[in-house]
Amino acid sequence: MSNAFESNSILNRLPEHLKQFIKPQHYEDYSAIDQAVWRYVMRKNVDFLAKVAHKSYLEGLKQTGISIDNIPNMYGMNRILKAIGWAAVAVDGFIPPNAFMEFQAYNVLVIASDIRQLDHIEYTPAPDIIHEGAGHAPIIANPEYAEYLRRFGEIGCKAISSAKDYELYQAVRQLSIIKEAPNSTEDAIASAEKKVEELQQNMGEPSEMALIRNLHWWTVEYGLIGSLENPKIYGAGLLSSIGESAWCMTSEVKKLPYTIEAAYKDFDITKPQPQLFVTPNFAHLNLILEEFANTMALRKGGLTGVTKLIQSKALGTIELSTGIQISGVFSEVIEHESQPIYIQTMGETALAYREKELVGHGIKTHKNGFGSPIGKLKGINLAIEDMSPRDLSAYHIFEEKNVTLEFEGGISVSGEIITGKRNLQGKIILISFKNCTVTHGKTTLFKPEWGIYHMAVGKTMVSAFSGPADYNSFDLITHVPSSKTIHVEKSDQLLHLETLYQQVRDYRDGVNKTISRTKVLEELIKNYPNDWLLSVELYELAFLANETKLCQSIMEHLETVKQNRPEVGHLIDDGLAIIEKTLLSKH
């Protein structure tokens, strides 16, 4: 991983399972066309957003060192972000939602380093560097918002997904890749869209992850702030989309007060949003986040919590009232009076206390699953965890004693106690038995010949969440996305067009002032009559140099392009308007 990114004190804290998603930015792969796309979007955005974005945005652009003229270099960005306690890493498009959120919890911005094609200059469903660098990065310079983002990551990465969520994530990722790939056929796009649509229509009850992703979408991506009558933009999806940032300010888009109800409002990633939510201030975002967190299994535990984990079919953790944590893929729960009285995992399981694996209780010890009763002993008011040494002795719960423990709900544990483990408060959290039989009515849950039986101690299940308690317990480096972003071989024609863009860029930057811009224009008209962005860049240089004749030739050509491609007419007009406004303001 050492050559994938330049580390710093913030990135050094990242666990290995997150580092696997990081890739080198490969700055040299950005073409002069890519740089021109960045420059156009940024100039247009900053011009428009100066009026409609939250004041933190323009201040943040300066603070985070994001240039209007050049695609940000991750190394340069990190040097500046470090001052506000954040860092940025490059990844390959979409990554799993839990991983994305967990990066945020570590104060790390995840940046998709690809850039949209010129044809998708106004909006792309695929995450790209304009969305991340120009959308997310500047706004985190606001401390209140940055803390919301971190806290959201911390809570969000514990949200439990459903098995269907992961399927949908893969399908959406695939669709965004296909849509952005230059050689995709209409059939391939339609087929990918159909798959996403079918999954979306059959998701069943929304999972915690689905609900918290809705909150993320309506705040971090598409949030407005201030009053309903005159809101400002802070969501990165709006800040980075020149089409949607203007559209969202019209009366066509309904403005609603931001409440927890937003969690139940689904979104469509491929279309402009019909309604948006307005928060009065950044502090209100944290209030709603806390309100939502209070509904999660993370804070409620219980039967609902473990049931969510079973339905997720993924690695998760439950925590009992003593603080012992059981991490694995949960397969079964026995309930009594709406309470879990026995849980079972399948496959590799690890036990932990305060997010640290218990010595001797990793996946090697518990490679075939783990089962344990939860609750109080029948007919005894005092739970095992609350018993003093004298109480334990009275109930024969100590080393080398044969004992039968009858739990409420009918779980029976019978065997010889070998030893117990205590937590820092002195409460017993784990008891190990030999020659042990565990039953529930006529069902045998554990037999003596299976070896030592380790029983977790806890009267209630206080928490259930996605992922392991101790990330070092499991090998999570195998989670590589199944599809990589598509990159195609460039044609000679495209490479030549890139050369023309580079010549104009070099001229503007003073690298090579001998280039004939008239010749570039002639070649453009002859070989690339539909390209509009380079003509706009040429016009800027001619306008700056007071070259009336060249300006006129360019304008005539752009009029032809507008007639042939009416869909880019507004992009040309906006580009020219910004040039004239910017240059006139300098004089």
Side-chain angles (χ1 to χ4, degrees), residues 506-553:
D506 288 347
Y507 186 92
R508 190 178 58 242
D509 292 348
V511 174
N512 186 352
K513 286 285 190 184
T514 63
I515 289 156
S516 162
R517 285 150 303 130
T518 309
K519 274 190 180 164
V520 171
L521 179 66
E522 284 166 4
E523 205 166 331
L524 197 61
I525 294 168
K526 184 183 166 196
N527 296 320
Y528 307 97
N530 285 327
D531 184 88
W532 61 273
L533 182 53
L534 189 54
S535 300
V536 171
E537 294 223 316
L538 281 167
Y539 181 80
E540 180 187 358
L541 297 175
F543 191 84
L544 187 62
N546 263 331
E547 294 170 309
T548 321
K549 197 175 168 201
L550 184 54
C551 279
Q552 203 178 335
S553 304

Side-chain angles (χ1 to χ4, degrees), residues 203-501:
M203 291 300 285
E205 190 73 20
S207 67
E208 288 181 351
M209 180 52 83
L211 296 175
I212 205 166
R213 277 184 67 218
N214 285 347
L215 288 185
H216 195 268
W217 182 265
W218 298 122
T219 60
V220 176
E221 295 295 352
Y222 278 82
L224 297 175
I225 187 166
S227 66
L228 288 177
E229 302 70 41
N230 184 28
K232 299 289 185 197
I233 296 172
Y234 73 91
L238 295 171
L239 293 172
S240 61
S241 167
I242 49 187
E244 281 207 89
S245 54
W247 159 252
C248 81
M249 284 296 155
T250 66
S251 56
E252 299 283 319
V253 179
K254 209 190 293 180
K255 316 293 188 300
L256 305 169
Y258 179 59
T259 67
I260 197 163
E261 288 308 307
Y264 300 92
K265 190 79 191 158
D266 291 334
F267 58 87
D268 183 342
I269 190 170
T270 62
K271 295 184 177 78
Q273 308 308 318
Q275 82 286 305
L276 295 172
F277 292 89
V278 185
T279 181
N281 47 52
F282 287 137
H284 182 70
L285 297 178
N286 275 312
L287 222 109
I288 302 298
L289 178 61
E290 281 303 306
E291 195 182 331
F292 181 78
N294 286 336
T295 70
M296 288 170 64
L298 174 70
R299 294 192 180 168
K300 294 188 91 160
L303 184 61
T304 344
V306 72
T307 306
K308 284 178 182 177
L309 283 178
I310 292 167
Q311 288 165 352
S312 79
K313 298 180 183 168
L315 178 58
T317 299
I318 64 162
E319 183 174 323
L320 304 186
S321 44
T322 53
I324 191 168
Q325 296 162 316
I326 302 156
S327 300
V329 176
F330 287 82
S331 55
E332 212 180 321
V333 60
I334 298 172
E335 59 177 287
H336 174 70
E337 293 177 353
S338 301
Q339 291 299 323
I341 57 166
Y342 196 88
I343 54 91
Q344 181 68 48
T345 65
M346 59 182 185
E348 294 178 341
T349 304
L351 309 183
Y353 179 71
R354 291 191 171 172
E355 283 69 47
K356 199 168 166 46
E357 183 177 293
L358 291 179
V359 177
H361 289 280
I363 59 174
K364 281 184 182 162
T365 304
H366 304 290
K367 58 178 181 287
N368 300 316
F370 178 89
S372 180
I374 299 165
K376 289 158 91 174
L377 296 172
K378 201 189 287 180
I380 301 169
N381 261 340
L382 207 55
I384 294 175
E385 67 204 71
D386 299 325
M387 291 181 180
S388 66
R390 187 173 290 172
D391 297 324
L392 290 166
S393 176
Y395 293 113
H396 301 293
I397 305 172
F398 61 96
E399 287 81 349
E400 297 181 356
K401 281 282 182 187
N402 276 302
V403 67
T404 296
L405 302 175
E406 298 280 355
F407 286 83
E408 290 175 350
I411 300 287
S412 169
V413 178
S414 190
E416 184 186 328
I417 295 176
I418 306 169
T419 184
K421 269 190 194 292
R422 294 176 186 274
N423 66 14
L424 293 171
Q425 282 74 37
K427 289 184 174 185
I428 288 193
I429 59 171
L430 189 74
I431 300 172
S432 301
F433 296 82
K434 63 182 179 184
N435 302 323
C436 187
T437 302
V438 183
T439 57
H440 176 241
K442 290 180 179 172
T443 310
T444 302
L445 302 171
F446 193 89
K447 297 176 179 176
E449 56 266 32
W450 294 353
I452 294 168
Y453 181 70
H454 301 282
M455 183 183 88
V457 175
K459 58 187 168 192
T460 54
M461 187 191 300
V462 295
S463 182
F465 54 87
S466 174
D470 184 341
Y471 278 98
N472 297 316
S473 296
F474 296 84
D475 175 16
L476 302 171
I477 311 300
T478 50
H479 295 248
V480 179
S482 58
S483 50
K484 291 268 193 276
T485 306
I486 300 163
H487 294 283
V488 291
E489 285 293 310
K490 291 177 180 177
S491 65
D492 290 343
Q493 196 187 14
L494 178 57
L495 289 168
H496 185 56
L497 180 60
E498 286 180 358
T499 307
L500 296 179
Y501 269 86

Side-chain angles (χ1 to χ4, degrees), residues 94 123-126 171-172 175-176 179 189 192-193 196-197 200 217 222 244 267-273:
F94 281 109
Y123 174 76
T124 170
V172 169
L175 171 62
S176 76
K179 273 197 158 176
I189 293 171
E193 278 177 340
V196 169
E197 213 172 296
Q200 277 174 333
W217 182 265
Y222 278 82
E244 281 207 89
F267 58 87
D268 183 342
I269 190 170
T270 62
K271 295 184 177 78
Q273 308 308 318

Side-chain angles (χ1 to χ4, degrees), residues 525 528-532 556-569 572:
I525 294 168
Y528 307 97
N530 285 327
D531 184 88
W532 61 273
E556 283 168 11
H557 171 58
L558 283 170
E559 279 307 317
T560 311
V561 176
K562 283 203 278 190
Q563 281 166 11
N564 295 338
R565 297 183 66 195
E567 74 278 8
V568 299
I572 293 169

